[in-house]
Structure formats: structure tokens, C-alpha cells
Amino acid sequence: IRARRVPVPSSVKRYARAPQLRLPRARRGGEFAEVLLARRTWRRFSRRPITLEQLSTLLELTGGVQRWIDVPPLGRLALKTSPSGGARHPIELYVLALRVQGLPRGLYHYAADRHRLERLRRGASGRELVRWVGGQRWAGGAAALVLMTAVLPRSQWKYQFPRAYRVVLADAGHLCQTFCLVATWLGLAPFCTMALADSHIERALGIDGVREAILYTAGVGTRPADGVPDVNTAAVKG
């Protein structure tokens, strides 16, 4: 175990000699604070499917175009629930659906402007999902996996310098946190991971990994009956 050889870095940073000011505690009342504090990464799921309405809500509130604004001479720019550098919104969402009531198993693309699913192929399996997330077996219990790719020319058109790639990564992070918060609000069990089998995923999506590349994934399922989110926590309680 690496921790036995190399000390684990501290999770916080402090300036011991700097003057300190005690801050008032945050307000924790209300639905927003409750959802924010309840957000966890789930690695255990029940076998119950999620509903099509739940998936639809997740997609629309995470990646759907909420409205358009005219910005001459750029034309119409999309506005979503998460920020994006220059309102370029390079992130595209794809869904590997395994257990969604009313939705056949398969691989879909989410059309963000029309709020529709475009079926790319029929069929999906938990084994395939596990392979895509680097062999993490617990993920095979999820009901659906949402794959986040970046159409890089959208951002490169405006930001023509290497650091622009960091903007795209931040965009993916914004969407993923929104996804997890919406899933928590719906009473579901979300997770996210960057442990990905890039080439397998990109081949399945029919993208080249250059102009459009996989960056991030977020999954969701229904919560187990005991309400314990993590495999290790469940083992300790057992």
C-alpha cells in the first residue's frame, strides 16, 4: 500500500502564522442546502430501473439548451444551467441506457436543442459499461451511463491558444456537478469517473478522439434499500 511508504498529502492547506478571522456558519436550511449536503458518490445500486421521466429531467437540466441569445456578430448563443467559456458549450452528452423504464437498451445521443434522444444503436450491457469505465465492477449496477465528449473546434474557434483545453475540462466539470446535484434532488444515486477506456468509447460513438473526444462520464442508478452509498462502507457495516 502506497500510504505505508509515502505519507498521504493533507486534504487542506493552512497558513499557521497568518492572522485569522472566524467566519459565521453557512445557512443550512432550505431545499438547496439539503440537496448540496446530500450529494454523494454512489457505488451501490438497487436493481430497480430509473424512469424515463427521471432520465429526461437529468438530461434537460444538465445539458439542455434553456434559451438562446443573439450576440452580434457571433449569432445565436446557447444558454444552459452551467457556465461555459465564451458560451461555446463544447460538451455533448451520450447515454448508454441499461435499465430505464420505457427506453429500450441502447446507445443514444442527446440532442440538446430539441430535447430528444437519437438512437445510435440497439443493445447495451453492464459488462460493456464496466469495460468503458476501466473495469470498475461496481459501476455495472448503474441504470444508465452519461458520456461527456467535447467538440473541441467549438472552443478552439474562439480561444486559439493551448490553455483553452483547460477551459473545456472545466466545462465538463461544471456539467458533471450539475448532473450529480439534479440526480440527488431526484432521490437517485449518481457517480462520476474519469477512469475511461477512451478508444473503446470513441469507437462505439463513432468519433475520432481529435475533433471530438471523450472526457468524462457520469452514471446514475436507484439507491439500495439500506441507503448505504459505498461498497467499502457497506462492508464495514456488514
Side-chain angles (χ1 to χ4, degrees):
I1 299 176
R2 182 174 175 79
R4 293 175 179 171
R5 296 182 288 105
V6 182
V8 178
S10 174
S11 298
V12 298
K13 181 177 180 179
R14 292 177 178 168
Y15 291 88
R17 298 181 180 180
Q20 298 184 15
L21 173 66
R22 185 181 296 274
L23 297 171
R25 300 298 301 182
R27 290 173 50 193
R28 294 179 174 237
E31 186 178 18
F32 175 75
E34 290 174 1
V35 169
L36 194 64
L37 294 170
R39 190 217 61 78
R40 288 289 306 273
T41 295
W42 291 74
R43 294 186 175 90
R44 296 179 69 237
F45 314 95
S46 77
R47 299 299 296 177
R48 290 180 292 108
I50 65 173
T51 68
L52 182 59
E53 181 181 7
Q54 288 171 327
L55 178 62
S56 176
T57 299
L58 270 169
L59 293 173
E60 184 171 14
L61 294 185
T62 299
V65 176
Q66 304 302 314
R67 64 187 179 95
W68 298 87
I69 57 171
D70 291 315
V71 182
L74 301 179
R76 291 206 310 164
L77 299 182
L79 295 182
K80 300 185 180 183
T81 57
S82 295
S84 175
R88 300 310 303 152
H89 294 290
I91 308 302
E92 290 287 326
L93 303 182
Y94 296 81
V95 180
L96 186 70
L98 277 74
R99 287 185 297 280
V100 182
Q101 287 179 348
L103 183 66
R105 287 193 173 204
L107 182 62
Y108 300 83
H109 170 253
Y110 176 61
D113 58 338
R114 296 181 297 163
H115 188 52
R116 296 179 183 178
L117 286 175
E118 301 168 329
R119 189 176 65 206
L120 303 183
R121 71 139 211 251
R122 299 177 184 271
S125 69
R127 180 178 297 179
E128 181 178 34
L129 190 156
V130 169
R131 185 185 187 190
W132 285 6
V133 296
Q136 299 176 89
R137 294 184 181 180
W138 55 265
L145 186 70
V146 174
L147 303 126
M148 301 183 185
T149 70
V151 179
L152 296 167
R154 289 183 194 163
S155 296
Q156 290 170 330
W157 177 86
K158 183 170 185 178
Y159 302 114
Q160 299 177 27
F161 42 84
R163 187 176 170 79
Y165 185 62
R166 300 189 186 188
V167 176
V168 176
L169 294 177
D171 282 2
H174 294 320
L175 261 68
C176 194
Q177 175 70 338
T178 299
F179 177 95
C180 290
L181 290 175
V182 174
T184 302
W185 174 61
L186 292 172
L188 298 175
F191 69 88
C192 49
T193 181
M194 292 190 76
L196 304 175
D198 296 36
S199 59
H200 293 299
I201 295 172
E202 290 168 349
R203 191 158 45 243
L205 297 181
I207 60 178
D208 61 10
V210 179
R211 292 180 60 83
E212 183 176 357
I214 183 69
L215 290 185
Y216 210 175
T217 60
V220 65
T222 51
R223 298 183 181 184
D226 60 10
V228 179
D230 189 84
V231 177
N232 295 326
T233 305
V236 171
K237 287 194 173 183

